Amino acid sequence: MLPESAFERARRGTGQLFAVNRPAGAERTQYLIQAAELARTHGFAVTWVGCRADAPAFWPWHAILAGLGGDASALDADPEVCAQKVLDVLSAAPALVMIDDIDVAGEEAFQLTQVVAGGVHQLPVVIVVTSTGTTALDDTVRLVERAHAVLAKGRITEARELLDQAAREGYPEAALGLPGMWVNKFRGRADRALAIARLREALARQPAEPLRTRLTVRLAAEHAYDRRETESVLEALEQARKTGDQLTLAEALSLAHHALWSPEHNSVRLSLADELITVASASGLDLLALSGLCRRTMDLFCLGDPHAERSQVELARRASDYPGLLFFHAAMDVMRTIRAGRFAEAEQKSLACLQIGLEVGDVDAETFHSTHLFAIRWLQGRGGELVDLAEQVTHSPTLPDLEFSFEAALALLALEAGQHDRARSALHRMTINGLSAVPLSSTWITCMFCVVHVAAGLGDEEIAREAYRLLEPFADMPVVPATAIVCFGSTELLLGIAATTFGEHSLAARHLERAVTTNIRLANLPMTAYARAILAQTLGGERGRELFDVAITDANAIGMTARAAMWARDRDGLAGRISIRRESPWWIVSHQGREIRVEDLVGMRYLARLVAQPGVEVAALELVGGEDTGNQSVLDPEARAAYLARIRALRARIDDDPSPRLEAELEALLRHLARETGFGGRGRNFAGPAERARTAVRKAIRRAITTIAATEQSTADALSTAVITGYRCSYRP
């Protein structure tokens, strides 16, 4: 007996084909009679035709068309034209089509039946074919039907194997793979090439609509994912809309959504997911509707939308019978658990998620687990433990070709382990053609999270500046990959760290303040503590100590004890360290719990730059914003040597005893040299721009320290001891 659900699905435009292998006789006839009665109770038209060996070409489809009110004489010698005419008639109204003895039909009729069977999933019809034995059509249809059935139960590997077998037997629809679900699931180069070749071969056969458009959309989506080109897949989506077929549109929406998995498309993806849910739900395409809900949940997390959790709860309720989608729910649940600071629980959930992914055959099961583990260990301050594992994952054959996030993770974890050369090597491999050459992908923003931290740790200002420029458009988004399996808080944090790296500390502080606020809103406890600690390091002074205290308390409460210990050392180091910040029109100097205001002197600007980067040498010429344009002419060699000897002696004495008399002599000597021109007209190397910058910086800093001493002598003494001037200047507390 045919299931009633077959007629309910067909009424919503999702038909099915059933193959009945029974010998002719009363039992088979009774089966068909019951099917016809059931169809009529559902309001379906019924046509029942038998095949004969001596029938004309395309029989029994002439009779089927006539029985459904179509033009019985419309079929001709062109199989493609015939197929389209039949599909047009079958799409008009719900119908049950029963074909007896398909195994004795002529070649033309058999091929036409195969084409119609390939499009049955977009028709309001139920087709039943009977035969006395097993036909190629029977076998292939059964493979595809079984594939769809096991896919609905979440058994991805089994469904893929069944469709692969059907594709090898030349069934055009099987070339679509898992219908409308995902792109780029064949990661091995040979497997992927075969999948693309099958799509092209199926299209070359000129299949009837809507199968032709379904194949076109799938091929466009695969290429769009590979090449990071969106135009072709969006054009294919519009082509799918024009077919008027709901399954074709639902598949196109799903594939376009997947092909646009990079952060600049977050809002577009959300609208595609919403439309997918609407179209698939109205058409009875339950699996695609649920897939749309899964994707919508991911998109909401990527946008930092407060409704994301509500959507995930709905997904959990609806996905309980669909392990393939339950896997993604479980992965997002791990993310939320990490975000709540429950690391041990998150680790257990990640193992359970891995098990689900392995059982259903999802190609990303192991990489999701690795990502969870990397996030947990890094937040705990134990990322260095996983450097070797990260190296292994970067060579995994299941990673997409254009996936760089694990290379970036390797660099970050190596940095955490103190392996700076290894970190630098990984960073340079990834950015060999410049950071902007790293393709925007589903994991690009988490890749950038690692890049910014490594650039900061290695003091690479060039990469930090480029990262800042690339990340700025995403400032209001959280650091969440498209699959929403981890969340590293606000992108403002990365902008703040990058700005600190290239020396814009006021800009950095503004970004970091916003990062703390956003992370609180996201309820991301670990990243809130982390952002507070980074802000504390940037601000220094009493405010920095207060921020450190809160960050340390919060970190200890959720098990980030290693990071809390590091932050405690940094906080204690602030006690004797000086910080300088700008509060226009004043400079605020903080030291040992006290703050003083100093007017806007040039030397204060130099001091602020040096104090913000303890231990980092900065050229005096860079501080004054000058450029070394070359040397001027000099005296003859003997005179030059004498002058140089005296200058060196004066400088050495001034460094130990900065008396006004010695400084006046040095200045007079330098003025005299500036007026003289030696033999040969060669440029001089002691009174050019670099020398003038050295002198100007030293004088400006000394005036600033003298001004500070008028209010707070101990702070002035600390600066005098810690600030080193010369051609290269630094602050070494």
Side-chain angles (χ1 to χ4, degrees):
M1 184 77 176
L2 287 180
E4 287 199 48
S5 61
F7 295 102
E8 294 168 359
R9 288 170 58 86
R11 184 174 294 283
R12 294 194 296 263
T14 309
Q16 288 179 271
L17 184 144
F18 295 88
V20 180
N21 301 124
R22 297 181 185 178
E27 183 182 356
R28 189 170 80 179
T29 300
Q30 184 61 32
Y31 178 91
L32 297 177
I33 290 172
Q34 290 176 345
E37 291 174 348
L38 184 60
R40 291 188 181 100
T41 63
H42 283 273
F44 277 54
V46 177
T47 179
W48 183 353
V49 185
C51 298
R52 341 188 281 273
D54 60 346
F58 299 113
W59 185 270
W61 287 99
H62 297 89
I64 293 170
L65 289 183
L68 296 176
D71 183 359
S73 63
L75 303 184
D76 53 36
D78 187 336
E80 182 183 349
V81 174
C82 293
Q84 191 58 59
K85 289 176 179 178
V86 170
L87 292 170
D88 288 343
V89 172
L90 293 179
S91 64
L96 169 66
V97 175
M98 296 188 292
I99 305 175
D100 248 339
D101 300 320
I102 189 68
D103 48 340
V104 300
E107 183 64 24
E108 299 92 342
F110 189 82
Q111 289 181 354
L112 179 55
T113 305
Q114 279 190 306
V115 173
V116 174
V120 72
H121 295 291
Q122 299 86 46
L123 297 171
V125 298
V126 175
I127 300 176
V128 178
V129 297
T130 71
S131 63
T132 55
T134 301
T135 68
L137 176 63
D138 297 334
D139 290 340
T140 306
V141 167
R142 281 201 177 85
L143 287 172
V144 175
E145 290 293 341
R146 279 182 57 202
H148 292 168
V150 299
L151 178 61
K153 295 178 180 177
R155 302 202 298 272
I156 298 170
T157 301
E158 185 180 350
R160 187 176 286 127
E161 290 172 351
L162 290 168
L163 289 168
D164 181 61
Q165 184 179 343
R168 287 199 303 270
E169 295 177 8
Y171 193 60
E173 187 182 2
L176 290 167
L178 303 177
M181 294 299 291
W182 300 281
V183 298
N184 196 45
K185 284 298 179 179
F186 290 99
R187 298 286 169 73
R189 193 169 292 277
D191 290 339
R192 182 155 180 76
L194 177 60
I196 298 294
R198 283 175 175 169
L199 285 167
R200 289 175 174 155
E201 182 182 348
L203 275 169
R205 294 178 183 175
Q206 296 294 310
E209 291 290 3
L211 180 58
R212 182 186 305 175
T213 296
R214 294 174 69 199
L215 292 164
T216 300
V217 172
R218 164 66 77 172
L219 188 60
E222 295 289 352
H223 285 321
Y225 193 97
D226 276 348
R227 302 167 184 171
R228 300 294 183 253
E229 298 172 354
T230 61
E231 187 175 342
S232 61
V233 75
L234 293 176
E235 288 174 355
L237 173 58
E238 290 309 307
Q239 184 179 339
R241 293 186 195 282
K242 293 175 183 177
T243 66
D245 181 75
Q246 296 303 289
L247 175 61
T248 302
L249 177 56
E251 287 183 357
L253 288 165
S254 177
L255 293 169
H257 184 283
H258 199 172
L260 302 180
W261 270 26
S262 50
E264 77 273 30
H265 299 305
N266 281 351
S267 296
V268 175
R269 285 205 316 274
L270 181 60
S271 65
L272 291 175
D274 284 336
E275 187 179 359
L276 173 58
I277 295 169
T278 300
V279 171
S281 298
S283 306
L285 303 170
D286 297 339
L287 186 57
L288 281 172
L290 188 57
S291 175
L293 177 60
C294 180
R295 290 159 191 245
R296 180 177 188 272
T297 305
M298 295 172 180
D299 297 337
L300 291 172
F301 277 122
C302 288
L303 291 166
D305 192 294
H307 296 101
E309 286 79 3
R310 184 188 305 173
S311 185
Q312 194 203 0
V313 171
E314 182 182 359
L315 175 64
R317 179 169 56 84
R318 293 180 178 273
S320 58
D321 295 327
Y322 296 86
L325 293 171
L326 194 61
F327 165 65
F328 290 99
H329 158 72
M332 286 185 277
D333 196 45
V334 175
M335 176 271 292
R336 289 184 61 194
T337 307
I338 295 173
R339 207 169 61 172
R342 302 195 302 272
F343 299 124
E345 181 184 346
E347 202 162 335
Q348 291 301 312
K349 285 185 174 181
S350 182
L351 287 171
C353 175
L354 171 64
Q355 188 61 37
I356 295 171
L358 293 175
E359 288 175 357
V360 301
D362 195 288
V363 70
D364 289 315
E366 293 182 350
T367 52
F368 277 22
H369 177 61
S370 298
T371 302
H372 289 148
L373 200 57
F374 292 165
I376 291 169
R377 290 290 181 270
W378 182 82
L379 287 167
Q380 291 174 322
R382 298 168 51 194
E385 299 173 9
L386 301 180
V387 180
D388 293 335
L389 175 61
E391 181 107 49
Q392 293 173 23
V393 177
T394 61
H395 303 308
S396 170
T398 65
L399 286 181
D401 286 345
L402 299 178
E403 174 58 71
F404 291 93
S405 62
F406 283 101
E407 188 82 56
L410 169 61
L412 176 59
L413 298 178
L415 183 72
E416 292 271 309
Q419 300 174 17
H420 285 203
D421 286 345
R422 194 173 183 182
R424 187 175 289 106
S425 176
L427 181 64
H428 287 176
R429 282 197 303 271
M430 186 174 57
T431 60
I432 190 168
N433 295 316
L435 196 56
S436 58
V438 176
L440 289 167
S441 67
S442 61
T443 59
W444 178 85
I445 200 160
T446 47
C447 175
M448 295 298 290
F449 179 88
C450 300
V451 166
V452 167
H453 278 84
V454 176
L458 299 177
D460 195 321
E461 293 187 24
E462 182 179 351
I463 289 181
R465 283 188 183 278
E466 192 172 7
Y468 184 94
R469 177 180 61 81
L470 294 172
L471 282 164
E472 201 169 11
F474 309 110
D476 60 345
M477 294 181 185
V479 183
V480 176
T483 48
I485 61 171
V486 288
C487 175
F488 288 111
S490 172
T491 300
E492 293 278 7
L493 172 73
L494 305 184
L495 294 169
I497 294 173
T500 300
T501 306
F502 56 73
E504 295 287 345
H505 298 281
S506 296
L507 175 64
R510 292 195 296 272
H511 283 302
L512 294 170
E513 292 275 11
R514 290 194 289 268
V516 172
T517 302
T518 302
N519 287 344
I520 292 171
R521 180 179 62 79
L522 291 171
N524 193 323
L525 303 185
M527 291 308 300
T528 298
Y530 186 81
R532 275 201 178 103
I534 299 296
L535 178 60
Q537 292 168 346
T538 301
L539 295 179
E542 192 59 31
R543 176 118 189 272
R545 287 182 58 80
E546 292 171 359
L547 286 165
F548 265 133
D549 286 341
V550 176
I552 291 165
T553 299
D554 291 347
N556 279 321
I558 58 177
M560 294 172 65
T561 52
R563 288 215 177 272
M566 289 187 282
W567 296 339
R569 290 192 293 272
D570 290 342
R571 176 200 59 193
D572 295 342
L574 290 178
R577 191 174 298 175
I578 297 166
S579 70
I580 302 174
R581 69 180 187 274
R582 182 71 179 273
E583 289 185 5
S584 187
W586 303 95
W587 289 94
I588 308 302
V589 181
S590 301
H591 182 228
Q592 294 181 331
R594 296 194 59 186
E595 291 187 343
I596 62 170
R597 290 188 175 191
V598 182
E599 60 185 300
D600 187 16
L601 300 171
V602 172
M604 288 303 302
R605 299 179 187 180
Y606 301 157
L607 283 174
R609 173 80 181 274
L610 298 175
V611 164
Q613 297 175 281
V616 176
E617 290 190 342
V618 182
L621 197 63
E622 181 181 342
L623 285 173
V624 301
E627 182 179 351
D628 196 345
T629 56
N631 299 321
Q632 301 174 19
S633 57
V634 297
L635 301 170
D636 61 79
E638 290 183 6
R640 183 175 185 273
Y643 277 112
L644 285 174
R646 181 57 180 163
I647 287 169
R648 283 193 294 268
L650 286 171
R651 286 175 181 163
R653 292 180 63 185
I654 288 171
D655 286 341
D656 295 329
D657 177 24
S659 80
R661 182 181 62 79
L662 294 177
E663 287 188 356
E665 181 182 352
L666 178 60
E667 290 294 324
L669 182 57
L670 291 175
R671 283 195 302 272
H672 175 70
L673 289 171
R675 292 193 299 268
E676 297 294 332
T677 301
F679 297 114
R682 292 180 301 172
R684 57 188 175 179
N685 57 10
F686 51 86
E691 171 62 28
R692 288 195 294 273
R694 185 192 79 86
T695 304
V697 168
R698 178 173 54 79
K699 285 185 174 182
I701 287 178
R702 180 156 297 154
R703 282 195 295 270
I705 292 176
T706 300
T707 302
I708 292 170
T711 304
E712 188 59 57
Q713 184 63 50
S714 63
T715 302
D717 292 342
L719 283 169
S720 296
T721 302
V723 174
I724 299 170
T725 59
Y727 287 113
R728 302 190 68 80
C729 309
S730 61
Y731 169 64
R732 299 183 181 277

